[in-house]
Amino acid sequence: MEYVGILYPFETMKKTRKDFEQSNVKDFDIDTVPLVYIQRDKKNLYVGKSTDVYGRFSAHLKDISKTFTDIMIIKSKLFNESSIKHIETLLIDNLLADGKFNLLNKIKGQNIHSYHGIENVNDMFVKIWEELIQEGIASQPLKEIHNTFIYKYSPFKELSANQIQVCHDILEAMLTTSESRHLITGDPGTGKTVVLTNILYALVYDQTTGKDREGIEREDIALVIPQNHSLGLYKELVRKVGLHGITVLSPSHFIKKAKNRDTKFKYVFVDEAHRLKQYFGKQARDLKHLKTSDGYTTELDLISDYSYHLTVVYDQYQTIRPADIDTTCFKEKTKNYRKHSLRKQFRLKSGDQYLAWLRKYLQMASDVPVYEKGILRDYDFKVMDTISELYDEIQKLNRDYELCRVIAGYSWEWATQKEGNLYDISDPITGNTFKWNSKTIGWINQANSVEEIGCIHTTQGADLNYVGVIFGKEIDCNYTGEENGSYDLKKAKIIVYPEKYKDRNGLPIKGTDENNEELKSYIQQIYYVLLSRGINGCYVYATNPNMQRYLQELIKISQ
């Protein structure tokens, strides 16, 4: 089918296996021209590119793993070496996440940074994808695919130069030394998880040949995920990208499995390592695995003991409970690890400075160099007048963008956990009532989650298109410095109220937290995580009037 009516024309052609088995017959419309092709049988797809399609298919026909019967050819007058690499990469990435067929590609697509006409090809791909849906090769619109976990974190994603270097350095160390320790750091949205999945994939599959790397046994590889609510998503990702056989477990289950093995795991990866556990008395029943003959240890220590090569991903601003490994302790235990820093922000449309702005005005850091003026100009950040207004706006945005959710600080009891007919959260202005998340694991993607309000334990590590954040009664702003109607942000001080914080396992042991400084740091970091979930924007409301005023004043200086 030829698309001549669109601005960037392309043509699709249908072929069969028999068309290429007749070596003495050629279609000169596709011979020696740059094109992209999709091979297909009842269950599998394979995506390729070529400027010599008949020569390329002579190799495919000899490959017993490729049982294709039908081929779609995509060609365009705009195609050249750069553009067909780009289309191939986009197809691999999106068809993997679509999941209608099993994708046989094992070599990742090319890293496409820029070339003349790249915008034209991006526009063209939207139309190509619509044609694939019509032909039954794909099933989901791009909008839906781009909201999926597998699309966002698959090892087929294009990487920046910084990310490529980190992947290369860690992989080289794992393949050339007997033991290594690596620490990957970076703000939310800098691609830490994508780097991790890329290293994992390149460890298993040789990216030159696309075959399993010699000497690598999958049962010697483990991926450790401390966030229970996202463990299932990682397992699905590993399965869909062809990494089955790799161990994917929570820290405690990994430690239990490792203890029963004859040897250490050779390669271990830990995502969200800030949620690894240290011993905390209130959660003693859940932390029995940290007891030793002479005291207590940490999950980081135990995981390290059972690993030859260990790579951990860490963000020091995302520790949110006393049982999470202490930042000072973590830094001491990893002081001899090789450090790899990711710097560029890819997720949030607010740019690199938004997160520093959050840290400054949540008062997590007093020396943050941030120029406030215009920092929110390209980011949809709004202070709403009520919980109800915030909730309604996020509902509207979800209809347009999907994957938009309301989340809140842990300032209300979870009454509906025991009695579904009750409610949890009440709007202090309108009196409207709302319910907490009805489940924790997989809540973000649950059908009715847009109608509920999530907590930190449902959303840490997740990406949303828009996020609505409710500041609860546990966090406030102590301000007494207003004169002549002016508001001096430097005189505003964030304070917390322990009695209004309802996460029982989030409270330090009574009498151990002088001036509530430890609790304050957890609560500040919880809101930092919540406020950094929205890709396109963040809408906020504070139940305490002084905190609401503080947010309104921040908006004035930052737009």
Side-chain angles (χ1 to χ4, degrees):
M1 186 177 295
E2 188 173 3
Y3 288 79
V4 295
I6 66 171
L7 188 57
Y8 309 112
F10 65 93
E11 182 181 357
T12 62
M13 304 171 63
K14 294 178 183 178
K15 297 286 184 180
T16 68
R17 188 183 187 96
K18 290 182 179 179
D19 290 329
F20 290 95
E21 287 176 334
Q22 303 173 47
S23 57
N24 61 332
V25 179
K26 289 186 178 182
D27 181 344
F28 291 102
D29 285 339
I30 63 173
D31 188 31
T32 65
V33 298
L35 52 80
V36 181
Y37 57 86
I38 302 173
Q39 298 174 352
R40 172 185 179 184
D41 60 27
K42 290 183 179 180
K43 295 182 179 180
N44 305 302
L45 295 179
Y46 180 84
V47 179
K49 59 171 175 56
S50 181
T51 54
D52 177 18
V53 68
Y54 284 95
R56 185 75 183 95
F57 268 64
S58 66
H60 285 311
L61 291 168
K62 296 174 184 176
D63 187 343
I64 60 173
S65 70
K66 295 191 175 74
T67 58
F68 62 93
T69 55
D70 299 286
I71 304 100
M72 174 181 277
I73 303 288
I74 305 169
K75 56 178 287 192
S76 171
K77 293 179 181 179
L78 294 176
F79 279 179
N80 54 36
E81 284 283 2
S82 296
S83 55
I84 61 173
K85 287 178 182 177
H86 188 189
I87 292 288
E88 178 193 42
T89 299
L90 291 171
L91 284 170
I92 291 172
D93 207 8
N94 285 278
L95 286 169
L96 173 72
D98 181 75
K100 183 173 182 178
F101 288 85
N102 174 45
L103 192 67
L104 295 178
N105 292 76
K106 299 305 178 188
I107 298 176
K108 295 181 289 183
Q110 304 287 327
N111 283 291
I112 309 298
H113 299 296
S114 184
Y115 61 88
H116 180 68
I118 190 170
E119 296 85 2
N120 300 350
V121 171
N122 282 325
D123 291 339
M124 182 194 296
F125 183 75
V126 174
K127 296 297 182 181
I128 290 174
W129 189 260
E130 291 173 359
E131 169 71 357
L132 296 185
I133 291 176
Q134 291 177 18
E135 292 295 328
I137 294 173
S139 60
Q140 300 180 66
L142 290 173
K143 177 182 174 182
E144 293 180 12
I145 285 175
H146 294 173
N147 284 330
T148 62
F149 185 88
I150 191 168
Y151 176 82
K152 292 176 180 178
Y153 300 114
S154 88
F156 293 98
K157 300 231 64 75
E158 183 181 343
L159 302 182
S160 69
N162 176 210
Q163 291 172 327
I164 291 170
Q165 189 63 52
V166 171
C167 290
H168 175 269
D169 291 348
I170 295 176
L171 184 63
E172 183 180 41
M174 289 192 297
L175 295 176
T176 60
T177 63
S178 59
E179 192 166 350
S180 66
R181 294 290 182 271
H182 304 275
L183 175 63
I184 301 174
T185 60
D187 284 341
T190 52
K192 300 185 294 296
T193 299
V194 171
V195 165
L196 202 65
T197 61
N198 268 268
I199 299 168
L200 186 57
Y201 193 83
L203 176 65
V204 173
Y205 291 111
D206 186 316
Q207 290 303 290
T208 301
T209 65
K211 297 179 179 179
D212 282 27
R213 192 180 292 278
E214 289 188 21
I216 302 294
E217 301 294 335
R218 297 190 186 198
E219 58 265 29
D220 284 335
I221 304 172
L223 176 60
V224 181
I225 308 298
Q227 303 273 42
N228 281 331
H229 70 260
S230 56
L231 182 59
L233 294 171
Y234 283 87
K235 288 182 177 181
E236 182 185 23
L237 172 64
V238 163
R239 178 181 60 81
K240 281 194 171 182
V241 300
L243 295 176
H244 42 276
I246 290 172
T247 296
V248 185
L249 291 171
S250 67
S252 60
H253 285 105
F254 167 80
I255 291 163
K256 182 178 180 180
K257 183 180 179 72
K259 283 181 178 179
N260 294 324
R261 279 171 54 101
D262 294 331
T263 61
K264 298 180 183 181
F265 278 87
K266 195 166 184 180
Y267 308 99
V268 179
F269 303 83
V270 183
D271 204 0
E272 309 273 358
H274 36 269
R275 299 307 313 276
L276 291 174
K277 297 294 179 277
Q278 61 188 10
Y279 191 78
F280 179 57
K282 282 187 178 181
Q283 292 181 255
R285 186 176 63 178
D286 301 323
L287 301 174
K288 292 177 182 177
H289 60 291
L290 299 183
K291 288 185 178 181
T292 65
S293 58
D294 57 353
Y296 305 102
T297 186
T298 70
E299 287 181 337
L300 178 62
D301 285 310
L302 291 173
I303 292 170
S304 181
D305 288 343
Y306 295 120
S307 311
Y308 284 108
H309 296 277
L310 175 60
T311 300
V312 298
V313 169
Y314 181 73
D315 182 348
Q316 65 174 330
Y317 297 113
Q318 292 201 50
T319 299
I320 61 169
R321 273 180 163 181
D324 293 345
I325 188 167
D326 177 74
T327 302
T328 302
C329 173
F330 186 92
K331 287 182 178 179
E332 175 62 27
K333 292 181 182 299
T334 58
K335 64 182 179 182
N336 294 322
Y337 283 39
R338 186 172 175 183
K339 310 299 192 298
H340 309 270
S341 178
L342 299 175
R343 298 176 293 274
K344 183 173 175 57
Q345 170 63 239
F346 293 98
R347 185 177 73 205
L348 302 175
K349 291 188 177 177
S350 54
D352 298 340
Q353 283 291 299
Y354 173 68
L355 296 168
W357 179 81
L358 284 180
R359 291 194 291 269
K360 178 175 181 178
Y361 287 107
L362 285 171
Q363 298 176 9
M364 299 162 62
S366 58
D367 57 347
V368 181
V370 179
Y371 179 69
E372 292 85 357
K373 189 66 178 174
I375 205 167
L376 300 176
R377 189 172 296 142
D378 298 320
Y379 190 61
D380 192 5
F381 191 101
K382 294 179 181 177
V383 181
M384 312 308 287
D385 293 328
T386 65
I387 294 177
S388 301
E389 183 186 19
L390 182 149
Y391 179 87
D392 290 343
E393 286 300 311
I394 295 299
Q395 291 262 321
K396 292 176 186 175
L397 288 165
N398 190 68
R399 288 193 284 271
D400 292 334
Y401 295 91
E402 300 182 350
L403 208 60
C404 303
R405 302 290 183 268
V406 179
I407 51 183
Y410 213 144
S411 187
W412 294 269
E413 297 282 3
W414 193 4
T416 54
Q417 184 182 26
K418 296 180 179 179
E419 179 51 68
N421 292 326
L422 300 176
Y423 65 86
D424 301 299
I425 297 171
S426 175
D427 187 326
I429 307 299
T430 67
N432 292 335
T433 58
F434 308 89
K435 293 184 178 183
W436 273 126
N437 46 277
S438 52
K439 61 184 289 187
T440 301
I441 296 175
W443 176 78
I444 287 287
N445 298 305
Q446 185 179 315
N448 67 329
S449 59
V450 70
E451 300 168 4
E452 301 174 341
I453 294 178
C455 70
I456 182 67
H457 305 304
T458 65
T459 51
Q460 190 168 22
D463 291 342
L464 299 169
N465 288 323
Y466 277 87
V467 65
V469 178
I470 304 168
F471 285 73
K473 288 284 187 181
E474 86 286 14
I475 186 169
D476 203 357
C477 182
N478 185 3
Y479 185 75
T480 57
E482 191 164 2
E483 296 177 5
N484 302 320
S486 63
Y487 191 101
D488 187 350
L489 285 164
K490 293 180 181 179
K491 294 182 180 180
K493 184 179 180 183
I494 299 288
I495 57 174
V496 298
Y497 303 114
E499 69 279 6
K500 295 178 180 179
Y501 186 57
K502 304 304 180 181
D503 186 354
R504 287 173 291 180
N505 290 329
L507 289 164
I509 294 173
K510 195 170 183 179
T512 64
D513 186 14
E514 187 175 352
N515 299 320
N516 299 317
E517 287 303 313
E518 183 182 351
L519 176 62
K520 180 181 175 182
S521 71
Y522 295 140
I523 292 174
Q524 287 167 314
Q525 289 174 185
I526 285 170
Y527 282 101
Y528 173 70
V529 173
L530 300 182
L531 292 162
S532 61
R533 297 304 93 196
I535 296 170
N536 300 309
C538 176
Y539 291 9
V540 300
Y541 171 77
T543 52
N544 285 321
N546 285 340
M547 191 69 198
Q548 178 78 344
R549 174 71 187 279
Y550 182 63
L551 294 171
Q552 291 167 340
E553 295 296 332
L554 285 182
I555 288 283
K556 291 179 183 178
I557 67 164
S558 303
Q559 288 184 325

